[in-house]
Amino acid sequence: MSKKQVKRGYLKGVRGLLITPLNLDGSMPDNPEDYWIDTAQSVGIEAEVIEGESSDLRGGDKVLTRVEEEDVVVGVNLSFTNARFDALATTYIAGGTLITETDGDDEIPIGWEAPTIEEQGEKTPFEAKVYVQSFNASGGKEGFLEYEFRYCKGSAPTVEHADQEWGTPEFEISARENPATGKSAYKKEFVDELPAIATE
């Protein structure tokens, strides 16, 4: 069997991304920590498919029977573009180490150090929820479409710096079935409001 990528669809009207780090086995921590990324940038969603195979059993010049295997969607790959380089978000998505400086009693994030090769094999999985503005037939705002990706791992972002332009990071995130819960790679549903953390 071989893998193929289904054409990527880009979500428009993205309002934000909610990240919740999971336990290593994919289960939800007793006291989960949510992190909200408020952005109007794009999110691309691309299904990853294992192609099925087909074969024929022939008798002379006749086809006696045909066996076909269905294509299977094994997960979803996300491409998430953020408006700025968010060091803490990068740590949640790609691992690595947050660089901070002390300001009184507070630790202020000022940078990020990429994970080592060994650390990349021990990334903390996370749950990701993407919120997209929903509109009615008249063009008025009407709630939100929530995409929930149950078990994700990301990689270090790619950034392109051009003259007099701000570098915009692009994160690649792989979403798979959650091994702890057995739930599928993702679901989507309509919700009335953004999560409370988005308005704090």
Side-chain angles (χ1 to χ4, degrees), residues 25-105:
D25 66 353
S27 61
M28 186 66 69
D30 293 334
N31 298 301
E33 296 182 4
D34 293 332
Y35 186 75
W36 175 257
I37 301 174
D38 191 6
T39 178
Q41 300 299 307
S42 65
V43 175
I45 299 180
E46 184 178 48
E48 185 171 325
V49 179
I50 299 292
E51 291 185 294
E53 297 180 348
S54 62
S55 60
D56 297 328
L57 176 62
R58 293 177 174 270
D61 58 353
K62 295 182 178 180
V63 177
L64 302 178
T65 186
R66 181 175 180 81
V67 178
E68 293 187 355
E69 298 176 345
E70 298 289 341
D71 290 351
V72 178
V73 177
V74 296
V76 178
N77 296 320
L78 307 178
S79 177
F80 175 73
T81 303
N82 196 12
R84 61 190 179 88
F85 193 94
D86 187 323
L88 184 54
T90 305
T91 304
Y92 283 138
I93 295 172
T97 305
L98 186 67
I99 302 172
T100 62
E101 68 178 9
T102 303
D103 182 8
D105 295 331

Side-chain angles (χ1 to χ4, degrees), residues 134-142:
S134 179
F135 298 89
N136 57 31
S138 302
K141 295 179 179 180
E142 193 176 71

Side-chain angles (χ1 to χ4, degrees), residues 95-187:
T97 305
L98 186 67
I99 302 172
T100 62
E101 68 178 9
T102 303
D103 182 8
D105 295 331
D106 299 326
E107 292 291 328
I108 308 300
I110 61 169
W112 170 78
E113 182 174 347
T116 64
I117 293 175
E118 181 178 355
E119 290 171 340
Q120 289 177 51
E122 302 172 349
K123 290 179 183 175
T124 299
F126 57 92
E127 178 185 86
K129 293 181 179 179
V130 176
Y131 292 85
V132 181
Q133 184 72 62
S134 179
F135 298 89
N136 57 31
S138 302
K141 295 179 179 180
E142 193 176 71
F144 304 90
L145 184 59
E146 177 192 81
Y147 285 79
E148 179 181 321
F149 303 93
R150 275 71 179 265
Y151 184 86
C152 303
K153 290 188 177 181
S155 57
T158 58
V159 185
E160 181 177 343
H161 290 279
D163 187 32
Q164 298 182 349
E165 292 184 7
W166 185 260
T168 301
E170 180 171 300
F171 296 90
E172 297 294 332
I173 299 173
S174 297
R176 300 292 183 263
E177 292 184 4
N178 189 307
T181 64
K183 291 184 177 180
S184 62
Y186 80 104
K187 72 170 183 177

